Amino acid sequence: MTPGHREWRIGPHTLRFEPPDLLRIDFHGVLTLEDAPRMVEIYRELGTAVRLYVLGSMSEAEPLEPEVRHYLSEHIRSEWFQATVYFGARLVHKALIKGAVIAAQLDGSTEKQTEQSLAAIHFAATREEAEQLLLQLRARANDLVA
């Protein structure tokens, strides 16, 4: 069963789920090690019900500390996500996000699985570009299913 509209605040960050499968995240400041388990819990809860499309605002986010990156890479599962589009990300965000995905796949995943996980992560300059890209990704996924 698809979850209904929901919203969470984790520290300074806001997550909003919009049925059937969109999770909007506004990152503000630092994601702490204390907050990371709650974020993973939300991803798990939603991602086991539906494969998520994530639209993440990074323009006010701070880079992740190493222990937070490690925690996320150990606990987030790629099968919870159809695609993730970040906008407003700086180069350091892009490098850290891709690195965390690669680290998460070091548990014995095949090279193809790692490539698929990396291919599901996208970056756009603005919210408008991110939303347009999300529409394209949905259309492409629908074409593959049809």
Side-chain angles (χ1 to χ4, degrees), residues 21-23 50-56 78-86 116-122 130 133-138 140-141:
D21 56 10
L22 178 62
L23 180 63
V50 296
R51 287 204 54 189
L52 294 168
Y53 285 92
V54 176
L55 196 61
S78 61
E79 60 266 14
W80 298 337
F81 305 95
Q82 184 70 30
T84 302
V85 181
Y86 295 104
Q116 289 171 334
S117 293
L118 287 170
I121 297 176
H122 307 273
L133 178 55
L134 190 65
L135 290 173
Q136 293 169 7
L137 293 169
R138 281 183 184 282
R140 193 176 312 147

Side-chain angles (χ1 to χ4, degrees), residues 1 18 24 126:
M1 186 168 124
E18 299 173 6
R24 294 180 184 270
T126 66

Side-chain angles (χ1 to χ4, degrees), residues 84-110:
T84 302
V85 181
Y86 295 104
F87 61 93
R90 298 187 302 269
L91 182 58
V92 67
H93 293 129
K94 294 174 185 179
L96 293 174
I97 290 167
K98 294 277 186 168
V101 170
I102 291 170
Q105 300 299 315
L106 293 177
D107 64 356
S109 298
T110 66

Side-chain angles (χ1 to χ4, degrees), residues 54-70:
V54 176
L55 196 61
S57 173
M58 301 294 292
S59 58
E60 295 184 32
E62 293 296 323
L64 295 173
E65 294 296 324
E67 62 273 3
V68 177
R69 284 195 314 269
H70 179 75

Side-chain angles (χ1 to χ4, degrees), residues 112-132:
K112 182 176 181 173
Q113 289 169 320
T114 301
E115 288 174 10
Q116 289 171 334
S117 293
L118 287 170
I121 297 176
H122 307 273
F123 297 95
T126 66
R127 179 182 303 272
E128 294 76 23
E129 290 175 14
E131 298 221 5
Q132 187 62 37

